Each structure stands twice: as structure tokens, then as C-alpha cells.
Amino acid sequence: MILTVADIKNLDILKDARIHTGQLELNHCPVEWVSVIETPVEQFVRKNELVLSTAVGCASDTDLECFIRDVIESGAAALAIATGKFIKTIPPSVINIAEKQGFILFELDWHIRFSDIIQTVLEKIEKIKREHFEKMENVRKTLLDFILTGKTLEHVCQYVSESVRGPIIISDKRGLIRGSSKQVPPLLEASWIEYFHIQLERDGIYRNLSQTKQWVRYGNSYALQLFIHSAGSVQGYLIVGGFGEEPLHEEEYVEWIMLLEHVTTAVALFFLHEHAASETEWRLRDDFVWALAKGDIHSWETILSRSKSLGYQLNLPYVGLIASPENLSELFESQKENRMSKDHWLNNLIRCLEEEAENIANGLALKTMVTFQQNELIIFLEVLHNQSTETALFYVTSLEKRLSLLFPTLLISWGIGKQFGYNIFQDTYQEAKRALDIGRKRNRVGIEAEGPYLFADTKMDRVLESIAEIDELKELSETLLVSLLHYSKERKIDLLYTFRTYHKNKSNVSQTARELNLHRQSLLYRLRKIETLTGCNLDNPDDVFLLDLSARLWSYRI
């Protein structure tokens, strides 16, 4: 609570004081101190100070006009002039100056002692400060008790809402609302979610801790967003609504922040406690899902019993998926505002990936089992019997869309198994793993991650993998391509890619030229050069088959 000029005017000692100007500012102008000043003002008056004066040094109206101008320029809250001995009445010219500036001007009875006014005002200021600190201490103790006794964030929000008399929302770092007070305006929630998504698109999930407070507008009101953080990382957000068009002046802002930082500290403790409690469960789940993927199943009855205790349902058809983050080191190095160690950062990232994988599935009314092992996110996803591939692809698209908001620069490669059904976890995992490995080799991951890769689409790759090590075929392909590759390296023209594109377009010269962004004559020159270097006739189907097979074998081995 801030002491205003209106509060000062309501004191018994000043109840008969006359207000000449600034009536509209009484409730908005804070008073931080009180002093007695005569001319000259110079640097003796500070901002938000109630100034008492007898104007003893003002021998004329002009002197008094200069005096009030100096007081106004100093940023004082108000000026109270005692009339009767030195100044009989306040001149109209002085009142006019105060009126134009919207400045509060009092007229006091000469017999009121300034020392009594100072004592009364300072006692009021101290009382307000004491009450404020008692309130903060009470809030701190109550919230700590809430956390230690296992109260939910809904209870925290409601208590804080009643304390500050405004709507409260608490979300986690991914923007999921974990608690809110009663009767939060829908516009506040919608506006904050929109604001949060703008932040995500701009910065991703990692935030700069040097800017932990922002104002969010909703309708004609404002909400204050504060970061909930600990150990150098953001844990969530506290949103406090109900502020007016001009939210807070400096003194009020400081007091609000002092109070709300007690709230964010308590909620950070809640998130840490929750994280510690869930970490054990996550590890048990990780070990269980990894055992399924490896086929480390000694007793199906034991596995069923463990699955029930972990909340999993094994009596559903699942397909295996693997998501492999390709640039974790680069992502960590790019987080300049990050204050965590790499191990701590990576652990947070892994948990976030696992939670998002589960949340997306829950949103699609599908069951999942998730673990992160060997730098890969392994997912067993429930699918419909007649829509296995479609379900898996839609799930991957939805998850990637969400992750692109949280981690805009994260590159992920996907592998999706072909088999789905009951108790085939190892088989579908191995298929997804194989699809991912083949896809990486096919697209040279490290330059750019593409996909997802379906095991069902890797038939040709698996055939090539089987025959790639046949000595006679290796010798044939190397002999056929050696001159072509040497020429391409010297001239920096990828003739092998030119042939592959030409063959993919079914020998259509115009279409190939457009795709390669070449003039038609330039493409024809390249095609003749390929024939010369390989001894193959591109109009001969057998030669084209042999050249295509050699090109595929060479590309597969690099």
C-alpha cells in the first residue's frame, strides 16, 4: 500500500486544510517523505515529498510564483503553505500556476505546528511500511506451508489472488497452465497464451533471465508476468492481472515486485519438489520401456505387473518410433543466456521431449510409452489396426510442430517401424532404428535432417545393403564411375547427381533442366560427357540400369 496525498489530507491534523488545486491528483500522487522548505528550493526537495512552507522569504507575488515553480520542478508531491503571518492569502497568480501544472496546493492554518504534521505523516508512513512487510512475511510463511503440506497450485493461486485482490495464473515453462484463481477473465487467459506463443516463436523455450518481468495487455487492463526460476533456468510463469491503464508508478511497482517474488520463490520450490518426486518415476519408466525395446523380457507376467504399477497398458497395438536430435551441442552453445551446466541442460531437455511426446499423444487420445536412450527418443505409440502409418505420421507432424515452437533450431530425424501389434516391441523398435540409420545414410544427416523415414520405404536400401559388399559388384561400379567421379571433382560439377536427376525424371530433358536450373544445351552437354566418361549409352535400358545401380551402390557406401 502506498501513502497518497489523499491519505495525508484525511489525517485529523489536516482535516481543515484547504485544497486550492490538484483535487483530481489526490488519490494518485504518492508521498514518500515530508519536509519544511523556504526559499531557495535548489536541490533540497526530492521527488514525491510533501513540502511545508511559510513562504517567509517571498517578499512579493513574483517571489512566491518563482518559489512554487521551483517546488513543482523538483517533483514534489504537494505544497502546503501556512498563511496568516508572512502570507495573508495565496495570490491568484500562484494558484493559476499550480492549476495549469495539475499540482496539489494546500493552504494551512498558521497555528498548526509543522512538527506535529511531520510527526503524524512519518508515523503513517512507518505504519504502512510495517503493515506491508508483515503482509509479505505472512504471505511467505503461508505459501511455504502450502508447499510443505502438499497443497496444489490451485490453492496457491487462490490465496495469492485474495491477498492481492486480482486474478492469478501459474503455468509451467512450456506454457501449460498448472493453476489459476477463481473467476480468471477468459480474455486474460487467452491474451497471455497468445503473448506466450509470440515469445516462443521469437525466443524458444529458453529465456533471458535479465528480463524476468513483462507487462501483458488484455482489453483495457494489464497483467504482470514474472518468471519462476531456479538454478539458472526458467521453471514457469506467474501472471497477475487486474492492473489499470497505467499499471503502477515506481514505488508501487517496487512493493508489488517484493511481494510477488515471495510467490515466485514458493512456486519455484513447488516445481523443484515436483521434479524431484517425478524423477524417480521417470527413471523407472525409462528402464522399463528400454527393456521392452531391447527385448529384455524374462517373464511376461512380471512385465505386465510392472506395466500396471507404472500406468502403462501393454494390451494395445503399438508401433515403434525413434526421434534423434541431430544438433544438441550446437543448440546448447547457442543458448547465450543459459546459466546451466550442459548435463543439467541436457537432462531438462530430455524430460521436456519426453513430456511433450506424451502430451501430444494424450491430446490425440492415444497411449504412449517413452524413453530417451543413447541420444535417441524412443516412442511406442498406440495405433489403429487399419491406420498405423497414417496415425504415426500425424503424431510426428503434431509433435514436430510443438517442438519447433519450444526449440526453433532443433533438428530431429525420425525412424518409424513397419510392424505394429501386441508384444512386438523389440521388432518394431529395430525396424524404426533401421529406418533411421538408412534415412541418415540416404540424406547425409549432419547437413540437414529430413524425414520421417518409414521402414516400409526402405526396401531398395535394404537390398543395396545386402549386395553392396559383393566384391564383383563393387569392382564393377568403381570401374564404371571412376572417370566420372574424377572429372566431377576436378571441374566441381556433380555429374552423378545430374544423372540421378535425369533418371528420376524418366529421361525428360526439359524437366531435368528446370530442376537443375540449367539451360537445355548445358544439360545435353553434361549428358554426352556422362556417356563419354562411363562408356554407357543413356538410350540403352541395360546401360542405364547398370549406371543407376552403380550410382546407388556408390552413394550407399559413402
Side-chain angles (χ1 to χ4, degrees), residues 317-331:
Y318 288 95
V319 67
L321 298 84
I322 296 178
S324 177
E326 301 294 346
N327 59 334
L328 290 180
S329 294
E330 293 85 351
L331 184 61

Side-chain angles (χ1 to χ4, degrees), residues 313-319 366-367 382-383 385 421-423 425:
Q313 296 183 30
L314 298 188
N315 57 340
L316 295 171
Y318 288 95
V319 67
L366 298 172
K367 299 295 184 182
E382 177 194 357
V383 293
H385 282 285
Y422 306 92
N423 193 18
F425 300 106

Side-chain angles (χ1 to χ4, degrees), residues 312-435:
Y312 288 140
Q313 296 183 30
L314 298 188
N315 57 340
L316 295 171
Y318 288 95
V319 67
L321 298 84
I322 296 178
S324 177
E326 301 294 346
N327 59 334
L328 290 180
S329 294
E330 293 85 351
L331 184 61
F332 174 75
E333 295 298 332
S334 69
Q335 308 303 319
K336 296 179 180 180
E337 69 279 4
N338 178 40
R339 301 177 184 177
M340 294 181 284
S341 67
K342 187 172 183 179
D343 287 344
H344 187 195
W345 173 85
L346 183 59
N347 183 66
N348 283 348
L349 175 69
I350 290 171
R351 288 295 174 249
C352 186
L353 293 176
E354 292 179 336
E355 289 173 1
E356 290 298 336
E358 290 191 344
N359 288 339
I360 293 296
N362 291 337
L364 300 174
L366 298 172
K367 299 295 184 182
T368 54
M369 295 183 289
V370 181
T371 185
F372 194 95
Q373 302 290 337
Q374 300 179 348
N375 293 322
E376 293 173 341
L377 181 66
I378 301 167
I379 304 169
F380 292 114
L381 176 70
E382 177 194 357
V383 293
L384 302 176
H385 282 285
N386 57 345
Q387 294 181 330
S388 170
T389 301
E390 293 84 352
T391 303
L393 288 175
F394 185 77
Y395 170 80
V396 168
T397 300
S398 301
L399 181 53
E400 281 201 321
K401 183 178 180 180
R402 173 64 176 170
L403 293 179
S404 68
L405 276 176
L406 300 177
F407 312 102
T409 60
L410 179 63
L411 297 177
I412 297 180
S413 297
W414 286 89
I416 301 177
K418 178 182 178 182
Q419 295 187 66
F420 68 93
Y422 306 92
N423 193 18
I424 57 167
F425 300 106
Q426 184 180 20
D427 294 336
T428 189
Y429 162 70
Q430 292 294 342
E431 287 181 350
K433 180 71 171 174
R434 185 84 177 277

Side-chain angles (χ1 to χ4, degrees), residues 276-311:
S278 63
E279 189 65 23
T280 300
E281 183 178 355
W282 274 112
R283 289 174 181 170
L284 291 173
R285 289 186 167 202
D286 281 344
D287 293 342
F288 177 78
V289 178
W290 183 226
L292 291 179
K294 293 187 298 181
D296 189 10
I297 301 174
H298 303 294
S299 167
W300 188 245
E301 289 75 16
T302 302
I303 289 293
L304 287 175
S305 176
R306 287 182 61 193
S307 70
K308 290 180 180 178
S309 65
L310 295 172

Side-chain angles (χ1 to χ4, degrees), residues 1-11 26-27 124 128:
M1 178 181 174
I2 302 298
L3 184 68
T4 65
V5 178
D7 298 321
I8 300 294
K9 177 62 179 67
N10 290 330
L11 295 173
L26 293 177
N27 290 308
K124 185 70 173 178
I128 289 175

